[in-house]
């Protein structure tokens, strides 16, 4: 009564040890360990463990008292092999999906990074935008009939083009990206208002107030854009953990544009 297929308790123990070592390696070693855990652990907890308790344990107990036919053990082993094959197929399929999503995320991040970087150069330049904005407000105050010409701005073409795939962005960057592009959209809407006839006929104090809001929006958008760039860079360099840690230390949207967020080109 040596156990399954007569391998004996020592052989059974060695087999279990090998299986346990293989399971541990698949769950915690290699770049796809997290994907393996996402598939294997639910299978073990919801299928394998209940089946072992309901079927395997009683058979092992009975096998210590009564000689069970080898065909029964063979059937059990064959079932285990089939389950292992199904599990391996599921794991490799999940790894492939995760790899494709990671590639799409990387491509989306690269495109957004380029667009945001270009936008920040356009709205802030080399740090001259604030001084230029202040000079514009002062001229409006000195010349009551002066109406500035505000050019249209389109800084969201990449984002809009990829909007259907926004779900590939990780949670560590998606909030900052959406908030930033909401600011970009607010700037575009305000620009359209300032290019309309109604703006032309407003009193100068009201026009000055709108221009001041416009300049403040650009300033806040710059700061938020720097946060987006830093988060994308952190995610590319250190994955979700590094981006998560950075997200907790970023400056608020009202931070000084001349501070660390501006100086850090990462």
């Amino acid at each position: 009564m040596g156990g399954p297929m007569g391998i004996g308790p020592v052989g059974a123990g060695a087999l279990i040890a090998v299986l346990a070592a293989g399971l541990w390696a698949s769950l915690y070693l290699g770049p796809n360990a997290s994907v393996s855990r996402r598939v294997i652990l639910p299978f073990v907890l919801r299928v394998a463990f209940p089946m072992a308790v309901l079927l395997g344990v009683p058979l092992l107990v009975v096998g210590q008292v009564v000689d069970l036919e080898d065909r029964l053990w063979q059937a059990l082993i064959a079932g285990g092999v089939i389950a292992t094959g199904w599990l391996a197929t599921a794991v490799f399929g999940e790894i492939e999906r995760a790899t494709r999503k990671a590639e799409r995320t990387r491509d989306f991040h690269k495109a957004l990074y380029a667009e945001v970087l270009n936008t920040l150069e356009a709205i802030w330049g080399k740090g001259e935008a604030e001084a230029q904005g202040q000079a514009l407000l002062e001229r409006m105050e000195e010349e009551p009939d002066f109406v500035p010409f505000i050019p249209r701005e389109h800084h969201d073409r990449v984002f809009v083009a990829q909007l259907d795939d926004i779900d590939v962005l990780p949670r560590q960057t998606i909030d900052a990206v959406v908030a930033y592009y909401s600011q970009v959209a607010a700037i575009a809407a305000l620009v359209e208002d300032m290019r309309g006839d109604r703006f032309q006929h407003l009193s100068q104090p009201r026009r000055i107030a709108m221009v001041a809001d416009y300049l403040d929006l650009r300033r806040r958008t710059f700061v938020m854009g720097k946060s987006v760039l830093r988060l994308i860079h952190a995610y590319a360099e250190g994955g979700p953990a590094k981006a998560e840690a950075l997200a907790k230390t970023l400056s608020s949207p009202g931070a000084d544009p001349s501070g660390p967020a501006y100086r850090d080109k990462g």
Side-chain angles (χ1 to χ4, degrees):
M1 294 186 294
M5 302 297 291
I7 62 175
V10 175
L15 178 61
I16 292 173
V18 171
L19 293 175
L23 179 63
W24 181 86
S26 66
L27 293 177
Y28 296 102
L29 296 180
N32 296 308
S34 61
V35 178
S36 298
R37 287 197 298 272
R38 195 160 62 240
V39 177
I40 294 176
L41 291 181
F43 175 82
V44 171
L45 295 176
R46 298 174 185 175
V47 179
F49 182 73
M51 290 299 295
V53 172
L54 295 175
L55 183 61
V57 173
L59 282 175
L60 289 175
V61 172
V62 172
Q64 300 303 314
V65 180
V66 179
D67 282 331
L68 298 177
E69 293 188 11
D70 286 346
R71 284 180 297 177
L72 177 58
W73 292 114
Q74 291 171 355
L76 290 174
I77 293 174
V81 171
I82 293 173
T84 301
W86 173 87
L87 189 59
T89 300
V91 169
F92 286 120
E94 186 65 23
I95 288 174
E96 184 179 357
R97 285 191 291 272
T99 300
R100 287 200 303 267
K101 182 176 180 180
E103 291 174 352
R104 292 169 62 200
T105 299
R106 183 166 56 251
D107 292 342
F108 201 167
H109 273 164
K110 285 181 178 179
L112 290 178
Y113 192 97
E115 181 170 68
V116 173
L117 185 62
N118 181 69
T119 301
L120 299 193
E121 290 296 329
I123 68 175
W124 195 255
K126 300 184 182 300
E128 302 167 351
E130 196 159 274
Q132 292 172 350
Q134 185 60 38
L136 175 62
L137 292 175
E138 291 174 357
R139 180 178 176 184
M140 293 180 70
E141 291 173 353
E142 295 171 357
E143 303 178 27
D145 296 328
F146 172 67
V147 180
F149 174 77
I150 308 296
R152 287 189 175 92
E153 300 183 58
H154 298 284
H155 300 303
D156 59 356
R157 297 189 186 280
V158 170
F159 178 74
V160 172
Q162 300 290 333
L163 200 53
D164 290 342
D165 294 325
I166 195 172
D167 59 300
V168 305
L169 293 181
R171 64 179 179 83
Q172 290 82 9
T173 62
I174 191 170
D175 289 345
V177 167
V178 171
Y180 164 79
Y181 279 101
S182 295
Q183 290 288 105
V184 170
I187 290 176
L190 186 54
V191 167
E192 289 302 317
D193 288 341
M194 290 191 294
R195 290 173 60 88
D197 292 337
R198 185 178 178 185
F199 180 76
Q200 306 294 322
H201 296 91
L202 290 176
S203 64
Q204 190 70 326
R206 294 186 65 184
R207 285 199 292 256
I208 290 174
M210 289 186 69
V211 172
D213 288 343
Y214 164 71
L215 295 173
D216 185 60
L217 266 177
R218 289 167 66 89
R219 174 180 178 274
R220 283 184 284 150
T221 300
F222 171 81
V223 176
M224 295 174 74
K226 292 304 295 183
S227 296
V228 169
L229 294 182
R230 296 178 67 192
L231 282 170
I232 291 176
H233 180 74
Y235 192 91
E237 291 292 314
K242 187 171 181 178
E244 186 82 33
L246 176 61
K248 296 177 181 178
T249 62
L250 286 176
S251 304
S252 66
D256 181 6
S258 64
Y262 174 71
R263 292 194 298 269
D264 183 359
K265 295 296 183 182

